[in-house]
Amino acid sequence: FDRIFYPISQRIQSIGTALSIGITAPLTIAGALILKTGITFESAFAGVRKTVQASEEEFAKLRKEIINLSTTAPVSAVEFAKIAQVAGELGLKAGDIAKFSQTVAELQTTTKLTGDEAATFLGRFTNITGLDPSKIHNLASTLVALGHGFAANESEIADFSLRIAGAGKIVGLTDGQILAF
């Protein structure tokens, strides 16, 4: 009796082991990675909550916008949340943060500026010059065009522009003229 069922039970046991190694272990690892990603995003979004003045409804909308942005750009939701946190630190309103974050991500992927550098430049420049937040994308486009058209790169243009922005605003220069100067 053992001679018949013992080989069958060994085969069933080896199939069970193979399934555990081949299917259960990868599923467990995938689940852990998904959980870690969710926790990381929630931690990053907590930074947004600290810096942005918004209602719970506005936070829910912003959270959804950040997650949606991460599906259309080569930037993770965690990175978008970090950009949104910087936007909040710079005083942007909740309704302007998603577009700002998208523009920063575009600068990050098309220039040598890091996300923090791009966010800091756009936020500070906007605050100094009083630029309407709806025109931030135009400002970023001007920066990129100047970086591609001249010997200076976008980082150098951004740094110099911030240094002269206050004086440029006082003498009546437009935002594009300040960048071009």
Side-chain angles (χ1 to χ4, degrees):
F1 187 72
D2 283 342
R3 282 186 274 165
I4 296 172
F5 290 106
Y6 185 71
I8 293 172
S9 68
Q10 278 185 325
R11 281 191 222 144
I12 292 172
Q13 184 179 8
S14 68
I15 290 170
T17 301
L19 288 174
S20 291
I21 292 171
I23 295 175
T24 306
L27 287 176
T28 303
I29 292 169
L33 289 174
I34 290 169
L35 181 62
K36 182 178 185 258
T37 301
I39 291 169
T40 304
F41 175 74
E42 289 306 320
S43 177
F45 198 77
V48 175
R49 287 183 166 278
K50 290 178 189 175
T51 62
V52 176
Q53 299 274 334
S55 67
E56 285 304 314
E57 183 178 298
E58 289 172 316
F59 278 125
K61 181 180 177 191
L62 183 57
R63 174 192 308 271
K64 186 176 182 179
E65 288 173 333
I66 287 172
I67 292 170
N68 286 341
L69 284 172
S70 71
T71 64
T72 61
V75 177
S76 72
V78 171
E79 287 298 314
F80 271 116
K82 290 177 182 177
I83 294 168
Q85 179 178 349
V86 171
E89 290 169 356
L90 295 168
L92 269 76
K93 292 182 168 81
D96 298 323
I97 290 177
K99 184 67 175 167
F100 176 86
S101 298
Q102 180 180 8
T103 301
V104 169
E106 290 169 359
L107 276 176
Q108 181 179 340
T109 57
T110 59
T111 69
K112 292 182 181 181
L113 292 170
T114 66
D116 283 345
E117 290 170 335
T120 300
F121 164 69
L122 292 174
R124 286 185 181 164
F125 192 88
T126 300
N127 285 338
I128 293 168
T129 63
L131 179 68
D132 182 346
S134 67
K135 301 195 188 245
I136 287 177
H137 194 270
N138 294 346
L139 176 65
S141 295
T142 302
L143 178 64
V144 171
L146 290 169
H148 290 306
F150 295 95
N153 65 38
E154 294 86 357
S155 181
E156 294 166 332
I157 295 167
D159 287 342
F160 188 73
S161 296
L162 283 176
R163 283 188 256 144
I164 66 165
K169 188 66 175 173
I170 290 170
V171 299
L173 296 178
T174 66
D175 302 312
Q177 289 170 328
I178 293 170
L179 285 173
F181 187 84

